Amino acid sequence: MRLKEYVINSLMNLTSDGIVIVDLNGVVLEVNTKFEELHGWTREEAIGQVLPMTPDEYKEDALRLYQSLINGEQIRDFETLKLRKDGSTFYASVTVSPVKDSDGVVIGFVGVERDISEKKKAEETMIRSEKLALIGQLAAGIAHDIRNPLTSLKGFVQLLKYKNTDYVDVMMEELEHINYVVNEFMMLAKPHLSHYIESRVIELVQSIISFLQPHALLYNVQIQLEMDPEIPVITCIPDQIKQVLINVLKNAIESMESGGEIQITCRNRLNQDLIICVKDQGIGISAEKLAQLGEPFFTTKANGTGLGLMVCKRIVEAHGGKLSILSLINQGTTVEIALPINSRYHI
């Protein structure tokens, strides 16, 4: 028995992941040395205690996971924030398995944690870099949209120099339009905190359509929006969902060099998933190239980086969703984004 215990303890402490064993009440029964390193509690301090390992804003997720574990399910590679003894936090990929007795009754849990803070920093840097690349590519369209109302304002001001007219209302409308475009541009460029909040999808989609309207006009593209009457709110990082929609819609616009129509539909699928479809009438993508889409640095554009779609997929998957693409040569492309309703995931 001593040899068996020695081997088990050795295996626990040889791994590069933190391991904690708790009972049904969350009381710590055992930890390994990596757990001590990750959280800052010593083994002596941890055993027999209910440790505050989850930040308050993540308690709802913890309760949902606990219910799944009680039912005998295993939680694999769940990404979340974890607490240290000093109150600081770190990103971790967590796998939790229920421990059952000989009768199949759950009597405790084994948690395995891996620090992914550096991975998260790299992913967030990539997302920000792709966002800046989008801004640069959209700059011409935005400048074009701002130049038109400025031309109108300049002409009206010259007329006002000679006589009193009713052009002030028109000028104010043009100024409001400029203000809207510039604000959307700045919001896209501004760094945002990665906080999940409840968001109305219709507002996110409509704001992106308005923002990309100048870019669509440059390609003689019309955008049509169709939504189910009952579209629930979703819990997401709005800035990142906007980034996905901008990237997908921009690709659709640029695939139609001779103009055409883009159909955007939003559907509530059985109150489980929100489905956003973007369908264009572009040149399409071959089956060979379609299989490679999403791979780093693979692109079908002359000036593309090959990172945009990869970032979009990563964002959607981090929200618990899925991004899929269907395409036929000369028949257009359909991008489907499925996001879970009433769920919360963290990246």
Side-chain angles (χ1 to χ4, degrees):
M1 181 62 72
R2 291 183 60 189
L3 176 60
K4 182 179 179 180
E5 291 176 355
Y6 176 78
V7 171
I8 291 173
N9 287 333
S10 296
L11 289 173
M12 282 185 65
N13 291 314
L14 282 173
T15 180
S16 59
D17 297 331
I19 298 176
V20 57
I21 303 173
V22 300
D23 65 16
L24 293 180
N25 297 315
V27 176
V28 176
L29 304 177
E30 187 60 81
V31 299
N32 68 346
T33 53
K34 186 62 178 181
F35 178 91
E36 294 178 288
E37 179 186 327
L38 286 175
H39 287 274
W41 284 289
T42 65
R43 179 175 180 272
E44 291 72 21
E45 290 173 326
I47 290 178
Q49 303 297 320
V50 178
L51 299 178
M53 292 183 285
T54 304
D56 289 341
E57 62 268 30
Y58 291 78
K59 290 290 176 65
E60 181 183 334
D61 293 326
L63 289 173
R64 178 168 55 83
L65 294 179
Y66 176 78
Q67 189 57 53
S68 298
L69 291 166
I70 286 292
N71 293 333
E73 300 176 26
Q74 183 187 45
I75 306 300
R76 295 182 60 85
D77 301 324
F78 183 78
E79 297 185 5
T80 186
L81 274 180
K82 303 296 287 185
L83 273 175
R84 295 190 179 95
K85 179 183 176 180
D86 61 8
S88 61
T89 60
F90 65 95
Y91 276 106
S93 175
V94 180
T95 295
V96 187
S97 302
V99 179
K100 302 177 182 179
D101 62 15
S102 58
D103 297 322
V105 178
V106 177
I107 57 174
F109 313 107
V110 177
V112 180
E113 302 174 345
R114 175 169 297 177
D115 187 348
I116 57 170
S117 299
E118 292 303 316
K119 174 191 170 189
K120 293 300 302 174
K121 288 180 182 177
E123 288 176 351
E124 288 169 2
T125 298
M126 185 170 63
I127 289 173
R128 284 196 296 270
S129 297
E130 181 59 26
K131 185 190 296 185
L132 291 174
L134 275 174
I135 292 171
Q137 293 167 12
L138 290 169
I142 300 300
H144 179 271
D145 196 43
I146 291 176
R147 187 183 297 115
N148 285 342
L150 284 177
T151 301
S152 299
L153 290 172
K154 182 179 179 181
F156 289 142
V157 168
Q158 289 174 335
L159 287 172
L160 286 173
K161 288 174 61 177
Y162 302 106
K163 58 182 178 179
N164 186 20
T165 67
D166 297 324
Y167 296 136
V168 175
D169 290 340
V170 179
M171 293 171 65
M172 289 302 297
E173 289 178 7
E174 297 286 15
L175 285 170
E176 286 295 328
H177 182 62
I178 292 174
N179 187 56
Y180 170 79
V181 172
V182 172
N183 282 342
E184 286 294 310
F185 208 21
M186 294 303 294
M187 284 295 291
L188 181 63
K190 181 182 177 182
H192 288 72
L193 296 176
S194 297
H195 287 330
Y196 284 70
I197 61 173
E198 288 191 343
S199 302
R200 290 175 54 83
V201 173
I202 187 170
E203 294 175 359
L204 295 180
V205 174
Q206 287 175 336
S207 69
I208 295 309
I209 291 175
S210 297
F211 180 64
L212 285 179
Q213 200 65 50
H215 197 64
L217 291 174
L218 290 177
Y219 286 80
N220 193 29
V221 170
Q222 304 297 318
I223 302 174
Q224 303 295 329
L225 174 61
E226 182 182 342
M227 305 189 77
D228 280 350
E230 296 293 331
I231 297 293
V233 298
I234 62 169
T235 305
C236 67
I237 302 175
D239 183 52
Q240 291 189 0
I241 298 301
K242 279 187 175 184
Q243 185 173 345
V244 172
L245 293 173
I246 288 173
N247 202 305
V248 170
L249 194 52
K250 177 176 175 293
N251 287 344
I253 292 170
E254 294 175 356
S255 73
M256 296 184 288
E257 295 183 354
S258 301
E261 182 178 287
I262 294 175
Q263 293 181 333
I264 303 177
T265 59
C266 296
R267 298 282 182 258
N268 178 357
R269 186 166 65 187
L270 303 175
N271 279 325
Q272 294 181 345
D273 294 301
L274 171 67
I275 308 298
I276 304 174
C277 276
V278 178
K279 184 177 182 180
D280 64 50
Q281 299 173 336
I283 58 176
I285 306 168
S286 67
E288 180 183 356
K289 291 182 178 179
L290 192 62
Q292 293 179 273
L293 284 182
E295 294 181 6
F297 308 113
F298 176 81
T299 179
T300 58
K301 298 180 181 179
N303 61 343
T305 64
L307 294 176
L309 188 58
M310 184 182 72
V311 169
C312 289
K313 282 190 172 183
R314 180 68 186 95
I315 291 173
V316 173
E317 288 169 1
H319 282 75
K322 182 180 179 181
L323 187 149
S324 55
I325 303 174
L326 297 173
S327 188
L328 292 172
I329 293 293
N330 297 324
Q331 294 187 39
T333 300
T334 299
V335 178
E336 181 180 282
I337 302 166
L339 295 168
I341 296 172
N342 297 328
S343 295
R344 187 161 91 175
Y345 291 75
H346 300 284
I347 66 172

PDB file of all heavy atoms in Angstrom, residues 3 17 23 33 36 43 62 65 67 79 98 109 147 199 219 256 266 268 272 278 282 308 310 314 318 328 331 339 345:
ATOM      1  N   LEU A   3       3.794   1.553  -1.276  1.00  0.00           N
ATOM      2  CA  LEU A   3       4.337   1.721  -2.625  1.00  0.00           C
ATOM      3  C   LEU A   3       3.300   2.339  -3.546  1.00  0.00           C
ATOM      4  O   LEU A   3       3.594   3.251  -4.331  1.00  0.00           O
ATOM      5  CB  LEU A   3       4.786   0.372  -3.186  1.00  0.00           C
ATOM      6  CG  LEU A   3       5.301   0.399  -4.638  1.00  0.00           C
ATOM      7  CD1 LEU A   3       6.509   1.321  -4.751  1.00  0.00           C
ATOM      8  CD2 LEU A   3       5.643  -1.008  -5.105  1.00  0.00           C
ATOM      9  N   ASP A  17       0.571  20.200 -14.515  1.00  0.00           N
ATOM     10  CA  ASP A  17      -0.749  20.773 -14.257  1.00  0.00           C
ATOM     11  C   ASP A  17      -1.058  20.735 -12.769  1.00  0.00           C
ATOM     12  O   ASP A  17      -0.613  19.837 -12.046  1.00  0.00           O
ATOM     13  CB  ASP A  17      -1.830  19.981 -14.999  1.00  0.00           C
ATOM     14  CG  ASP A  17      -1.655  20.041 -16.505  1.00  0.00           C
ATOM     15  OD1 ASP A  17      -1.122  21.052 -16.989  1.00  0.00           O
ATOM     16  OD2 ASP A  17      -2.050  19.080 -17.187  1.00  0.00           O
ATOM     17  N   ASP A  23     -14.214  17.058  -1.925  1.00  0.00           N
ATOM     18  CA  ASP A  23     -15.421  16.259  -1.707  1.00  0.00           C
ATOM     19  C   ASP A  23     -16.631  17.001  -2.251  1.00  0.00           C
ATOM     20  O   ASP A  23     -16.501  18.060  -2.890  1.00  0.00           O
ATOM     21  CB  ASP A  23     -15.582  15.905  -0.230  1.00  0.00           C
ATOM     22  CG  ASP A  23     -15.810  17.130   0.661  1.00  0.00           C
ATOM     23  OD1 ASP A  23     -16.138  18.219   0.116  1.00  0.00           O
ATOM     24  OD2 ASP A  23     -15.668  17.017   1.891  1.00  0.00           O
ATOM     25  N   THR A  33       1.983  19.816  -5.920  1.00  0.00           N
ATOM     26  CA  THR A  33       2.886  20.964  -5.790  1.00  0.00           C
ATOM     27  C   THR A  33       2.595  22.037  -6.833  1.00  0.00           C
ATOM     28  O   THR A  33       2.766  23.227  -6.571  1.00  0.00           O
ATOM     29  CB  THR A  33       4.352  20.506  -5.918  1.00  0.00           C
ATOM     30  OG1 THR A  33       4.513  19.748  -7.120  1.00  0.00           O
ATOM     31  CG2 THR A  33       4.753  19.640  -4.724  1.00  0.00           C
ATOM     32  N   GLU A  36      -0.099  24.249  -5.610  1.00  0.00           N
ATOM     33  CA  GLU A  36       0.446  25.207  -4.638  1.00  0.00           C
ATOM     34  C   GLU A  36       1.099  26.391  -5.366  1.00  0.00           C
ATOM     35  O   GLU A  36       0.927  27.545  -4.981  1.00  0.00           O
ATOM     36  CB  GLU A  36       1.487  24.521  -3.748  1.00  0.00           C
ATOM     37  CG  GLU A  36       0.926  23.441  -2.842  1.00  0.00           C
ATOM     38  CD  GLU A  36       2.010  22.768  -2.026  1.00  0.00           C
ATOM     39  OE1 GLU A  36       2.797  21.994  -2.623  1.00  0.00           O
ATOM     40  OE2 GLU A  36       2.081  23.029  -0.814  1.00  0.00           O
ATOM     41  N   ARG A  43       0.023  23.089   0.745  1.00  0.00           N
ATOM     42  CA  ARG A  43      -0.797  21.892   0.924  1.00  0.00           C
ATOM     43  C   ARG A  43      -1.438  21.900   2.306  1.00  0.00           C
ATOM     44  O   ARG A  43      -2.617  21.576   2.469  1.00  0.00           O
ATOM     45  CB  ARG A  43       0.071  20.645   0.745  1.00  0.00           C
ATOM     46  CG  ARG A  43      -0.661  19.322   0.938  1.00  0.00           C
ATOM     47  CD  ARG A  43       0.266  18.150   0.619  1.00  0.00           C
ATOM     48  NE  ARG A  43      -0.434  16.877   0.799  1.00  0.00           N
ATOM     49  CZ  ARG A  43      -0.496  16.225   1.963  1.00  0.00           C
ATOM     50  NH1 ARG A  43       0.097  16.742   3.050  1.00  0.00           N
ATOM     51  NH2 ARG A  43      -1.151  15.074   2.047  1.00  0.00           N
ATOM     52  N   ALA A  62     -19.670  28.367 -12.188  1.00  0.00           N
ATOM     53  CA  ALA A  62     -19.236  27.287 -11.306  1.00  0.00           C
ATOM     54  C   ALA A  62     -20.421  26.442 -10.836  1.00  0.00           C
ATOM     55  O   ALA A  62     -20.341  25.209 -10.782  1.00  0.00           O
ATOM     56  CB  ALA A  62     -18.480  27.861 -10.105  1.00  0.00           C
ATOM     57  N   LEU A  65     -21.563  24.220 -13.692  1.00  0.00           N
ATOM     58  CA  LEU A  65     -20.652  23.102 -13.871  1.00  0.00           C
ATOM     59  C   LEU A  65     -20.821  22.069 -12.755  1.00  0.00           C
ATOM     60  O   LEU A  65     -20.759  20.864 -12.995  1.00  0.00           O
ATOM     61  CB  LEU A  65     -19.204  23.610 -13.894  1.00  0.00           C
ATOM     62  CG  LEU A  65     -18.816  24.493 -15.076  1.00  0.00           C
ATOM     63  CD1 LEU A  65     -17.372  24.932 -14.955  1.00  0.00           C
ATOM     64  CD2 LEU A  65     -19.036  23.774 -16.394  1.00  0.00           C
ATOM     65  N   GLN A  67     -23.498  21.284 -11.168  1.00  0.00           N
ATOM     66  CA  GLN A  67     -24.682  20.479 -11.415  1.00  0.00           C
ATOM     67  C   GLN A  67     -24.391  19.396 -12.449  1.00  0.00           C
ATOM     68  O   GLN A  67     -24.847  18.242 -12.320  1.00  0.00           O
ATOM     69  CB  GLN A  67     -25.831  21.366 -11.906  1.00  0.00           C
ATOM     70  CG  GLN A  67     -27.173  20.654 -11.991  1.00  0.00           C
ATOM     71  CD  GLN A  67     -27.594  20.054 -10.655  1.00  0.00           C
ATOM     72  OE1 GLN A  67     -27.626  20.756  -9.644  1.00  0.00           O
ATOM     73  NE2 GLN A  67     -27.896  18.760 -10.653  1.00  0.00           N
ATOM     74  N   GLU A  79     -12.304  26.992 -20.188  1.00  0.00           N
ATOM     75  CA  GLU A  79     -11.403  28.125 -19.968  1.00  0.00           C
ATOM     76  C   GLU A  79     -12.089  29.170 -19.105  1.00  0.00           C
ATOM     77  O   GLU A  79     -13.191  29.628 -19.417  1.00  0.00           O
ATOM     78  CB  GLU A  79     -10.964  28.718 -21.308  1.00  0.00           C
ATOM     79  CG  GLU A  79     -10.160  27.730 -22.138  1.00  0.00           C
ATOM     80  CD  GLU A  79      -9.619  28.321 -23.418  1.00  0.00           C
ATOM     81  OE1 GLU A  79      -9.790  29.546 -23.631  1.00  0.00           O
ATOM     82  OE2 GLU A  79      -9.007  27.569 -24.199  1.00  0.00           O
ATOM     83  N   PRO A  98     -15.821  13.689 -12.129  1.00  0.00           N
ATOM     84  CA  PRO A  98     -16.444  13.182 -10.906  1.00  0.00           C
ATOM     85  C   PRO A  98     -15.786  11.880 -10.464  1.00  0.00           C
ATOM     86  O   PRO A  98     -15.370  11.072 -11.294  1.00  0.00           O
ATOM     87  CB  PRO A  98     -17.898  12.961 -11.319  1.00  0.00           C
ATOM     88  CG  PRO A  98     -17.853  12.746 -12.793  1.00  0.00           C
ATOM     89  CD  PRO A  98     -16.694  13.544 -13.311  1.00  0.00           C
ATOM     90  N   PHE A 109     -14.668  15.091  -6.516  1.00  0.00           N
ATOM     91  CA  PHE A 109     -14.229  15.561  -7.834  1.00  0.00           C
ATOM     92  C   PHE A 109     -12.711  15.714  -7.871  1.00  0.00           C
ATOM     93  O   PHE A 109     -12.092  16.054  -6.857  1.00  0.00           O
ATOM     94  CB  PHE A 109     -14.860  16.917  -8.177  1.00  0.00           C
ATOM     95  CG  PHE A 109     -16.337  16.974  -7.924  1.00  0.00           C
ATOM     96  CD1 PHE A 109     -16.837  17.692  -6.850  1.00  0.00           C
ATOM     97  CD2 PHE A 109     -17.229  16.292  -8.736  1.00  0.00           C
ATOM     98  CE1 PHE A 109     -18.189  17.750  -6.595  1.00  0.00           C
ATOM     99  CE2 PHE A 109     -18.587  16.341  -8.499  1.00  0.00           C
ATOM    100  CZ  PHE A 109     -19.073  17.068  -7.418  1.00  0.00           C
ATOM    101  N   ARG A 147     -16.315  62.190 -46.823  1.00  0.00           N
ATOM    102  CA  ARG A 147     -16.078  63.242 -47.810  1.00  0.00           C
ATOM    103  C   ARG A 147     -17.373  63.757 -48.421  1.00  0.00           C
ATOM    104  O   ARG A 147     -17.532  64.962 -48.667  1.00  0.00           O
ATOM    105  CB  ARG A 147     -15.159  62.711 -48.915  1.00  0.00           C
ATOM    106  CG  ARG A 147     -14.723  63.805 -49.886  1.00  0.00           C
ATOM    107  CD  ARG A 147     -13.877  63.236 -51.016  1.00  0.00           C
ATOM    108  NE  ARG A 147     -12.643  62.661 -50.510  1.00  0.00           N
ATOM    109  CZ  ARG A 147     -12.337  61.363 -50.583  1.00  0.00           C
ATOM    110  NH1 ARG A 147     -13.178  60.521 -51.155  1.00  0.00           N
ATOM    111  NH2 ARG A 147     -11.204  60.916 -50.123  1.00  0.00           N
ATOM    112  N   SER A 199     -26.473  41.084 -24.681  1.00  0.00           N
ATOM    113  CA  SER A 199     -26.490  41.991 -25.830  1.00  0.00           C
ATOM    114  C   SER A 199     -27.636  41.625 -26.773  1.00  0.00           C
ATOM    115  O   SER A 199     -27.975  40.454 -26.934  1.00  0.00           O
ATOM    116  CB  SER A 199     -25.163  41.920 -26.593  1.00  0.00           C
ATOM    117  OG  SER A 199     -24.079  42.231 -25.752  1.00  0.00           O
ATOM    118  N   TYR A 219     -18.603  48.921 -53.895  1.00  0.00           N
ATOM    119  CA  TYR A 219     -18.686  47.700 -54.703  1.00  0.00           C
ATOM    120  C   TYR A 219     -20.069  47.518 -55.325  1.00  0.00           C
ATOM    121  O   TYR A 219     -20.340  46.461 -55.901  1.00  0.00           O
ATOM    122  CB  TYR A 219     -18.353  46.481 -53.833  1.00  0.00           C
ATOM    123  CG  TYR A 219     -16.887  46.347 -53.502  1.00  0.00           C
ATOM    124  CD1 TYR A 219     -16.322  47.102 -52.477  1.00  0.00           C
ATOM    125  CD2 TYR A 219     -16.062  45.476 -54.210  1.00  0.00           C
ATOM    126  CE1 TYR A 219     -14.980  46.979 -52.163  1.00  0.00           C
ATOM    127  CE2 TYR A 219     -14.716  45.354 -53.912  1.00  0.00           C
ATOM    128  CZ  TYR A 219     -14.178  46.109 -52.880  1.00  0.00           C
ATOM    129  OH  TYR A 219     -12.841  45.993 -52.563  1.00  0.00           O
ATOM    130  N   MET A 256     -17.827  40.327 -54.533  1.00  0.00           N
ATOM    131  CA  MET A 256     -18.731  40.685 -55.638  1.00  0.00           C
ATOM    132  C   MET A 256     -18.225  41.952 -56.311  1.00  0.00           C
ATOM    133  O   MET A 256     -18.721  43.054 -56.083  1.00  0.00           O
ATOM    134  CB  MET A 256     -20.161  40.884 -55.101  1.00  0.00           C
ATOM    135  CG  MET A 256     -20.752  39.615 -54.523  1.00  0.00           C
ATOM    136  SD  MET A 256     -22.478  39.792 -54.002  1.00  0.00           S
ATOM    137  CE  MET A 256     -22.287  40.802 -52.549  1.00  0.00           C
ATOM    138  N   CYS A 266     -31.182  36.241 -39.420  1.00  0.00           N
ATOM    139  CA  CYS A 266     -30.973  35.867 -38.021  1.00  0.00           C
ATOM    140  C   CYS A 266     -32.147  34.997 -37.587  1.00  0.00           C
ATOM    141  O   CYS A 266     -33.301  35.430 -37.686  1.00  0.00           O
ATOM    142  CB  CYS A 266     -30.862  37.097 -37.126  1.00  0.00           C
ATOM    143  SG  CYS A 266     -29.444  38.140 -37.487  1.00  0.00           S
ATOM    144  N   ASN A 268     -33.811  32.139 -34.658  1.00  0.00           N
ATOM    145  CA  ASN A 268     -33.821  31.547 -33.323  1.00  0.00           C
ATOM    146  C   ASN A 268     -34.120  30.058 -33.489  1.00  0.00           C
ATOM    147  O   ASN A 268     -35.242  29.676 -33.800  1.00  0.00           O
ATOM    148  CB  ASN A 268     -34.885  32.219 -32.460  1.00  0.00           C
ATOM    149  CG  ASN A 268     -34.975  31.621 -31.065  1.00  0.00           C
ATOM    150  OD1 ASN A 268     -34.282  30.661 -30.733  1.00  0.00           O
ATOM    151  ND2 ASN A 268     -35.838  32.191 -30.237  1.00  0.00           N
ATOM    152  N   GLN A 272     -32.307  27.471 -28.564  1.00  0.00           N
ATOM    153  CA  GLN A 272     -31.025  26.922 -28.144  1.00  0.00           C
ATOM    154  C   GLN A 272     -29.855  27.631 -28.805  1.00  0.00           C
ATOM    155  O   GLN A 272     -28.832  27.861 -28.179  1.00  0.00           O
ATOM    156  CB  GLN A 272     -30.960  25.422 -28.461  1.00  0.00           C
ATOM    157  CG  GLN A 272     -31.942  24.587 -27.652  1.00  0.00           C
ATOM    158  CD  GLN A 272     -31.830  23.113 -27.983  1.00  0.00           C
ATOM    159  OE1 GLN A 272     -31.236  22.728 -28.987  1.00  0.00           O
ATOM    160  NE2 GLN A 272     -32.409  22.277 -27.134  1.00  0.00           N
ATOM    161  N   VAL A 278     -24.821  34.840 -43.448  1.00  0.00           N
ATOM    162  CA  VAL A 278     -24.440  35.892 -44.400  1.00  0.00           C
ATOM    163  C   VAL A 278     -24.218  35.211 -45.749  1.00  0.00           C
ATOM    164  O   VAL A 278     -23.265  34.440 -45.918  1.00  0.00           O
ATOM    165  CB  VAL A 278     -23.168  36.630 -43.945  1.00  0.00           C
ATOM    166  CG1 VAL A 278     -22.778  37.685 -44.979  1.00  0.00           C
ATOM    167  CG2 VAL A 278     -23.362  37.261 -42.573  1.00  0.00           C
ATOM    168  N   GLY A 282     -21.175  36.154 -54.691  1.00  0.00           N
ATOM    169  CA  GLY A 282     -19.824  36.342 -55.204  1.00  0.00           C
ATOM    170  C   GLY A 282     -19.313  35.198 -56.047  1.00  0.00           C
ATOM    171  O   GLY A 282     -20.063  34.320 -56.485  1.00  0.00           O
ATOM    172  N   GLY A 308      -7.673  36.562 -40.585  1.00  0.00           N
ATOM    173  CA  GLY A 308      -9.005  37.067 -40.267  1.00  0.00           C
ATOM    174  C   GLY A 308     -10.000  35.982 -39.922  1.00  0.00           C
ATOM    175  O   GLY A 308     -10.647  36.013 -38.876  1.00  0.00           O
ATOM    176  N   MET A 310      -9.384  32.847 -39.202  1.00  0.00           N
ATOM    177  CA  MET A 310      -8.916  32.075 -38.058  1.00  0.00           C
ATOM    178  C   MET A 310      -9.305  32.764 -36.752  1.00  0.00           C
ATOM    179  O   MET A 310      -9.768  32.126 -35.800  1.00  0.00           O
ATOM    180  CB  MET A 310      -7.394  31.898 -38.119  1.00  0.00           C
ATOM    181  CG  MET A 310      -6.838  31.017 -37.006  1.00  0.00           C
ATOM    182  SD  MET A 310      -5.047  30.866 -37.074  1.00  0.00           S
ATOM    183  CE  MET A 310      -4.565  32.499 -36.522  1.00  0.00           C
ATOM    184  N   ARG A 314     -11.967  31.471 -33.846  1.00  0.00           N
ATOM    185  CA  ARG A 314     -11.541  31.385 -32.446  1.00  0.00           C
ATOM    186  C   ARG A 314     -12.507  32.149 -31.543  1.00  0.00           C
ATOM    187  O   ARG A 314     -12.860  31.686 -30.458  1.00  0.00           O
ATOM    188  CB  ARG A 314     -10.123  31.951 -32.296  1.00  0.00           C
ATOM    189  CG  ARG A 314      -9.587  31.911 -30.870  1.00  0.00           C
ATOM    190  CD  ARG A 314      -9.359  30.478 -30.428  1.00  0.00           C
ATOM    191  NE  ARG A 314      -8.971  30.419 -29.024  1.00  0.00           N
ATOM    192  CZ  ARG A 314      -9.798  30.226 -28.022  1.00  0.00           C
ATOM    193  NH1 ARG A 314     -11.086  30.068 -28.256  1.00  0.00           N
ATOM    194  NH2 ARG A 314      -9.359  30.170 -26.776  1.00  0.00           N
ATOM    195  N   ALA A 318     -14.902  30.389 -28.788  1.00  0.00           N
ATOM    196  CA  ALA A 318     -14.741  30.794 -27.396  1.00  0.00           C
ATOM    197  C   ALA A 318     -16.070  31.209 -26.779  1.00  0.00           C
ATOM    198  O   ALA A 318     -16.234  31.183 -25.563  1.00  0.00           O
ATOM    199  CB  ALA A 318     -13.738  31.949 -27.300  1.00  0.00           C
ATOM    200  N   LEU A 328     -19.924  27.523 -53.472  1.00  0.00           N
ATOM    201  CA  LEU A 328     -19.819  26.903 -54.787  1.00  0.00           C
ATOM    202  C   LEU A 328     -19.278  27.946 -55.754  1.00  0.00           C
ATOM    203  O   LEU A 328     -19.652  29.126 -55.694  1.00  0.00           O
ATOM    204  CB  LEU A 328     -21.178  26.400 -55.272  1.00  0.00           C
ATOM    205  CG  LEU A 328     -21.798  25.214 -54.513  1.00  0.00           C
ATOM    206  CD1 LEU A 328     -23.226  24.986 -54.996  1.00  0.00           C
ATOM    207  CD2 LEU A 328     -20.952  23.961 -54.693  1.00  0.00           C
ATOM    208  N   GLN A 331     -21.417  30.660 -57.600  1.00  0.00           N
ATOM    209  CA  GLN A 331     -22.763  30.632 -57.026  1.00  0.00           C
ATOM    210  C   GLN A 331     -22.824  31.285 -55.647  1.00  0.00           C
ATOM    211  O   GLN A 331     -23.886  31.330 -55.038  1.00  0.00           O
ATOM    212  CB  GLN A 331     -23.270  29.191 -56.936  1.00  0.00           C
ATOM    213  CG  GLN A 331     -23.479  28.542 -58.295  1.00  0.00           C
ATOM    214  CD  GLN A 331     -24.150  27.181 -58.184  1.00  0.00           C
ATOM    215  OE1 GLN A 331     -25.052  26.988 -57.368  1.00  0.00           O
ATOM    216  NE2 GLN A 331     -23.712  26.230 -59.005  1.00  0.00           N
ATOM    217  N   LEU A 339     -24.505  30.716 -32.373  1.00  0.00           N
ATOM    218  CA  LEU A 339     -24.128  31.120 -31.022  1.00  0.00           C
ATOM    219  C   LEU A 339     -25.162  30.584 -30.040  1.00  0.00           C
ATOM    220  O   LEU A 339     -26.370  30.684 -30.296  1.00  0.00           O
ATOM    221  CB  LEU A 339     -24.056  32.649 -30.910  1.00  0.00           C
ATOM    222  CG  LEU A 339     -22.964  33.326 -31.742  1.00  0.00           C
ATOM    223  CD1 LEU A 339     -23.188  34.841 -31.766  1.00  0.00           C
ATOM    224  CD2 LEU A 339     -21.589  33.002 -31.190  1.00  0.00           C
ATOM    225  N   TYR A 345     -19.580  31.580 -22.004  1.00  0.00           N
ATOM    226  CA  TYR A 345     -18.276  30.945 -22.110  1.00  0.00           C
ATOM    227  C   TYR A 345     -17.230  32.033 -21.949  1.00  0.00           C
ATOM    228  O   TYR A 345     -17.506  33.223 -22.125  1.00  0.00           O
ATOM    229  CB  TYR A 345     -18.096  30.265 -23.481  1.00  0.00           C
ATOM    230  CG  TYR A 345     -18.993  29.057 -23.640  1.00  0.00           C
ATOM    231  CD1 TYR A 345     -20.365  29.210 -23.882  1.00  0.00           C
ATOM    232  CD2 TYR A 345     -18.479  27.793 -23.515  1.00  0.00           C
ATOM    233  CE1 TYR A 345     -21.190  28.118 -24.005  1.00  0.00           C
ATOM    234  CE2 TYR A 345     -19.301  26.680 -23.651  1.00  0.00           C
ATOM    235  CZ  TYR A 345     -20.640  26.854 -23.913  1.00  0.00           C
ATOM    236  OH  TYR A 345     -21.453  25.763 -24.031  1.00  0.00           O
TER     237      TYR A 345
END
